[in-house]
Amino acid sequence: RGEIDIAYGIQGELVAEARRTPGLTVKTARIPVTNFIVFASMYDKSSPWSDPRVRLAANLAVDRKAINEAVYIGLGKESSSIIPHAMDGYWAPPGGGYAYDPERAKKLLAEAGQARGFDGGMLWCDATEAMAEPVQAALAEVGIKVQLRVVERAALLKQIADKKLTGLVFTGSGAPGNAAARLAQFVRRDGTLSYIQDDELDKAIDAQSAELDPARRKATLDQIQKTLYERAMFLPVMEYPFPVVVGPRVGVDGVNGIPGNPYTGPYED
């Protein structure tokens, strides 16, 4: 009806509807946000998630391109890392990362003794997460059943920080910084949102933080990310595009006017 000039962070069919609506423009704020799943039960030996073959199978079961098209009409960037492509220190996985390969996923599950599939527990997410249901459906296609548990965002973040969740946790980050900052938060054992418990990774993170040679520091950061990828210690899904819809009354929208800021700064201030 022309009553709204700017709408932030819309998802799903609303993005496509906005593109079809005369007078509206859809822009994408370039922000360092990655959305990924944490294997909260990875260190529980009685859980199938403790097997790297199972975690790799889950990664191969997810059609990231299809999810991108369905949720963000292709505006997002499919990801195989918890680190955004544009962030300093990013390591690019070989071949573009985890390919969609449900048949190989089923073979890996069979090798891990889960040929008939298994109950993967909860898939925790907040109420704004539009990618959780497609991921749940994709896992079910290869025999991994997870129960979606939707929690209010602030409550979910507190539960993640308390380190008491099990199963899978759909989370992400848009915090500024570089690859080292993300690893400190999500990989180092004492990271505020980390479920990883790995002494060698902790030592590597500490080593790069004290390294003054940029090349050697980058090499250590690359090796850490390579380890996370090869052991499938996360299930990355998407670099969130943050669609912004701009109405016809706006002369200067300010989208991307401040690098890394999702809103139409400086007008928000």
Side-chain angles (χ1 to χ4, degrees):
R1 294 190 296 268
E3 297 172 1
I4 295 173
D5 296 311
I6 294 176
Y8 298 121
I10 64 170
Q11 303 182 80
E13 176 58 27
L14 283 176
V15 184
E17 184 180 336
R19 272 194 162 177
R20 292 193 300 265
T21 303
L24 297 185
T25 302
V26 177
K27 296 194 172 185
T28 303
R30 295 187 294 273
I31 52 177
V33 175
T34 43
N35 295 93
F36 51 88
I37 288 174
V38 172
F39 294 106
S41 295
M42 184 165 58
Y43 293 97
D44 178 358
K45 296 300 182 184
S46 66
S47 170
W49 295 121
S50 64
D51 192 322
R53 294 170 296 185
V54 171
R55 300 194 301 269
L56 178 56
N59 269 287
L60 299 179
V62 176
D63 188 345
R64 293 164 174 81
K65 188 176 189 303
I67 292 176
N68 188 10
E69 291 294 336
V71 180
Y72 299 117
I73 60 170
L75 295 175
K77 189 174 185 66
E78 296 98 48
S79 176
S80 292
S81 173
I82 66 170
I83 314 293
H85 290 69
M87 188 168 272
D88 186 43
Y90 169 78
W91 173 79
Y98 301 116
Y100 175 53
D101 192 342
E103 292 309 311
R104 187 184 169 208
K106 291 175 183 177
K107 289 178 182 177
L108 284 167
L109 290 176
E111 290 174 14
Q114 305 291 344
R116 296 185 178 181
F118 65 94
D119 182 351
M122 295 291 183
L123 171 55
W124 301 85
C125 71
D126 73 51
T128 67
E129 185 51 76
M131 292 182 283
E133 281 193 39
V135 169
Q136 179 192 31
L139 295 178
E141 285 293 318
V142 299
I144 302 174
K145 305 294 191 298
V146 291
Q147 182 180 341
L148 199 59
R149 186 69 178 270
V150 181
V151 182
E152 192 274 327
R153 182 171 177 78
L156 179 66
L157 287 173
K158 184 179 187 307
Q159 288 177 301
I160 296 173
D162 289 343
K163 316 284 179 71
K164 294 181 179 178
L165 297 178
T166 60
L168 306 181
V169 182
F170 212 132
T171 185
S173 177
N178 56 16
R182 287 287 169 89
L183 295 173
Q185 186 178 33
F186 286 98
V187 177
R188 202 178 190 286
R189 186 187 298 260
D190 62 357
T192 53
L193 301 174
S194 174
Y195 275 74
I196 303 293
Q197 303 169 26
D198 191 294
D199 292 338
E200 292 305 312
L201 289 175
D202 285 353
K203 289 177 183 177
I205 292 172
D206 291 344
Q208 63 79 35
S209 70
E211 179 56 63
L212 299 181
D213 183 298
R216 293 178 64 178
R217 186 179 192 212
K218 178 64 166 66
T220 302
L221 288 171
D222 285 355
Q223 184 55 53
I224 295 169
Q225 293 172 74
K226 185 171 183 284
T227 299
L228 296 175
Y229 175 78
E230 290 178 344
R231 290 156 101 196
M233 299 178 83
F234 291 94
L235 197 165
V237 182
M238 199 75 56
E239 290 187 17
Y240 177 47
F242 203 82
V244 179
V245 179
V246 181
R249 296 184 298 186
V250 179
V252 178
D253 56 60
V255 178
N256 295 313
I258 299 176
N261 175 29
Y263 305 107
T264 54
Y267 306 114
E268 287 293 317
D269 296 331

